[in-house]
Amino acid sequence: MSISTKAYEKLPLRPRTNSDARDSGSDYGSTSSTSSSEDALFPHTSSDALYYIPDMNYSSEEEAEVVRILDRRLFSWILLTTFVLNMDRTNISNAISDNLPEDLGFTIDTVNTASALHSILFSIFCFTGSIVAKIAGPSRWIPTLMLSWGLVTLAHVLIKDKFGYLTVRCWIAITEGGVIPTTLVYLGGFYKGGELATRLAWFWGIQKVASAISGLMSSGLLRLRGVAGLEGWKWLFLVDGIITVIVAVATWFYLPATLVKTHGGLRGPKAWFTKRQIQIALTRVIKDDASKRSYEKRVDWADIKDTLTDIGIWGHLLITIFGLTPMSPLNTYLPTIIKSFNFNVFVANALTAPPYLLETVVMLINVNHSAKTKERGFHGAFGAGWQLLGWILLRTLPTGTRREFKYLAAMIVASWPYTHPLNIAWMSENTGSVGKRTVASGLIIGSANIYGIWGSQIYRADDAPDFKRGNTINMVFASIALSLWFLQKYNYKRRNALNAAQFAALSEEEKIEEEKQKEEKGNRSLLYRFTT
């Protein structure tokens, strides 16, 4: 069953005194007031409610220690799972540079078709992934998806022709599609809204590190062409698949279902938190966002309608679609582009590492500064402007330019301060309810992949190797994205001003009623203030 906000207030919570809150033990991982299956599904369940103390007092040092434990024990493992994910997602670009199309008897136009199919299926399963996570439980759904795509990655070794390639790439999309929105739902139960931006930056930053390491691994694994009768790119998928399967099995026995149940399995026999730390961990998150008192609430049609009619959500989706479209050809063909600068395939794959690492650094700096200043729009525009500059350079360089300068231009565009985590965090903190946040998370991750349908067609065989036409298209998309960041900031500032003016015009009785309905209305309340 679901527990509503009012239901929490009726629960037999412990006496709300500091002396009770200080009552802590060494291991409360096995304490639970219920054995229902639902208890194991979500970070905040009925048994966890016993640890929520609305008027609890705790120091900033105590809260910081709780966050450190979460970062060290939970978030570090989440980074491992996303590291593995992006190694699998990046290896296709490395494989293409090793003549995968030629080995299987087709051109890059077939690769583009596969990318378009991948984008459609990935987006569909992104949207359903966050909803399924609410049913199956994120701590179980994440490793299940990992094991599935690990097996499909291994299946690349069996590909013999165009049909086999298209089939396997479709199954990769189906199995990988739900993991990112599921992870976002999972992390939202443990961290406050303001803490997510920085952690999402690390989440996507580690993906860039994975891309860099994948490039370095490829420069070695591709040399195995001919060993055991396999092409070099098949060795790449084989090694990546084995790593994924191992991590998936370990993840099943590591990720905790709730704050209360952090002992056992690979987590060790002792719980991560004392009783007081559980109280702090749960209370601080609910104080930050009261809607998380009903975090286990299932998504209903009202949540979907509320999401689809929110102009702010659509602004974030458009930023995603226009801002990330140019990344589709870049992510697929970066090693091939560098190879066209007269580098051999092994050097070309190794040279993808520096821009990915630089991108991680500048993205973290940009997002951290955004978190400190509590400003989003201008920081996003900075990243979009950097990307636009890179496309201008790559487009305008003459064909006969020295390869070092061509590589520098490619490095600039590939190392832009990736704005997707900032955009997601901005959207998440402005949704106002768990149901809307769940639906919006699926939509924005889906939008971050649906662009591949048209983005995969930007670089065509008849435009190779300089892709002048394709880079002109990329410049247009990047320009629109830059404008959208400013428009989104303006929209939120305008809505804040309208809310303030309309609330001020209410009578005292109407203001009291608006206060009562604040949580129920979410970000449609006149008392709601959007982060800009």
Side-chain angles (χ1 to χ4, degrees), residues 374-430:
K374 301 186 185 301
E375 197 286 327
R376 306 289 183 256
F378 293 147
H379 286 80
F382 170 72
W386 181 313
Q387 183 196 146
L388 175 60
L389 174 62
W391 288 122
I392 292 173
L393 290 174
L394 202 58
R395 170 62 180 83
T396 56
L397 284 177
T399 302
T401 302
R402 292 175 55 182
R403 66 180 186 177
E404 291 84 358
F405 292 110
K406 285 186 174 182
Y407 174 69
L408 179 61
M411 184 171 179
I412 290 174
V413 71
S415 64
W416 71 296
Y418 191 58
T419 56
H420 192 43
L422 181 63
N423 188 29
I424 290 179
W426 195 15
M427 180 199 72
S428 181
E429 63 189 340
N430 283 339

Side-chain angles (χ1 to χ4, degrees), residues 242-261:
I242 292 173
I243 293 173
T244 301
V245 169
I246 293 173
V247 175
V249 173
T251 300
W252 179 274
F253 294 100
Y254 187 83
L255 288 185
T258 74
L259 286 165
V260 178
K261 298 181 178 180

Side-chain angles (χ1 to χ4, degrees), residues 38-287:
E38 185 178 355
D39 176 56
L41 296 185
F42 307 106
H44 304 155
T45 59
S46 54
S47 65
D48 282 353
L50 296 173
Y51 296 92
Y52 168 51
I53 304 176
D55 58 355
M56 181 181 183
N57 294 321
Y58 50 86
S59 66
S60 58
E61 291 78 13
E62 287 181 298
E63 182 178 11
E65 178 60 23
V66 168
V67 175
R68 278 193 292 269
I69 294 173
L70 285 171
D71 286 342
R72 186 174 67 250
R73 303 295 295 271
L74 178 72
F75 189 61
S76 61
W77 196 278
I78 291 297
L79 291 181
L80 174 62
T81 64
T82 195
F83 178 89
V84 171
L85 169 67
N86 221 56
M87 282 190 64
D88 283 341
R89 295 180 69 182
T90 303
N91 57 23
I92 187 61
S93 64
N94 305 122
I96 291 169
S97 71
D98 190 42
N99 299 321
L100 179 150
E102 292 83 353
D103 290 340
L104 298 178
F106 51 76
T107 68
I108 66 170
D109 290 343
T110 298
V111 174
N112 292 340
T113 299
S115 296
L117 291 172
H118 179 280
S119 297
I120 294 172
L121 292 170
F122 197 101
S123 299
I124 291 172
F125 283 88
C126 271
F127 179 68
T128 59
S130 56
I131 297 176
V132 172
K134 283 288 190 179
I135 301 172
S139 65
R140 286 292 175 258
W141 192 231
I142 291 172
T144 298
L145 290 174
M146 288 186 68
L147 179 62
S148 300
W149 89 63
L151 295 175
V152 177
T153 299
L154 291 172
H156 282 77
V157 177
L158 305 176
I159 297 176
K160 300 294 184 183
D161 52 25
K162 175 180 177 180
F163 176 77
Y165 177 75
L166 292 174
T167 301
V168 170
R169 294 312 297 172
C170 285
W171 276 105
I172 276 288
I174 291 170
T175 53
E176 289 184 347
V179 70
I180 294 180
T182 298
T183 303
L184 296 181
V185 171
Y186 187 57
L187 290 177
F190 296 102
Y191 288 101
K192 293 159 63 173
E195 296 167 347
L196 275 180
T198 301
R199 280 152 189 83
L200 289 181
W202 279 101
F203 181 80
W204 266 277
I206 206 70
Q207 289 188 16
K208 303 305 177 181
V209 173
S211 297
I213 293 178
S214 181
L216 295 174
M217 285 178 57
S218 299
S219 67
L221 290 172
L222 295 181
R223 297 175 187 269
L224 295 178
R225 175 177 284 268
V227 177
L230 298 177
E231 293 86 347
W233 55 267
K234 286 189 175 181
W235 276 105
L236 179 61
F237 285 113
L238 180 63
V239 172
D240 279 349
I242 292 173
I243 293 173
T244 301
V245 169
I246 293 173
V247 175
V249 173
T251 300
W252 179 274
F253 294 100
Y254 187 83
L255 288 185
T258 74
L259 286 165
V260 178
K261 298 181 178 180
T262 55
H263 75 302
L266 295 179
R267 296 182 296 271
K270 186 176 180 180
W272 296 352
F273 303 101
T274 65
K275 182 176 180 180
R276 176 171 172 79
Q277 287 175 328
I278 294 175
Q279 293 169 338
I280 294 172
L282 188 63
T283 300
R284 75 185 199 93
V285 170
I286 294 177
K287 281 186 174 181

Side-chain angles (χ1 to χ4, degrees), residues 1-4 36-42 44-45 130-138 291 294-304 433-436 438-439:
M1 68 176 182
S2 298
I3 297 178
S4 67
S36 67
S37 60
E38 185 178 355
D39 176 56
L41 296 185
F42 307 106
H44 304 155
T45 59
S130 56
I131 297 176
V132 172
K134 283 288 190 179
I135 301 172
S291 67
S294 52
Y295 205 79
E296 79 279 19
K297 175 183 177 292
R298 304 293 195 270
V299 172
D300 55 32
W301 284 110
D303 295 318
I304 295 175
S433 73
V434 171
K436 179 184 283 191
T438 300
V439 176

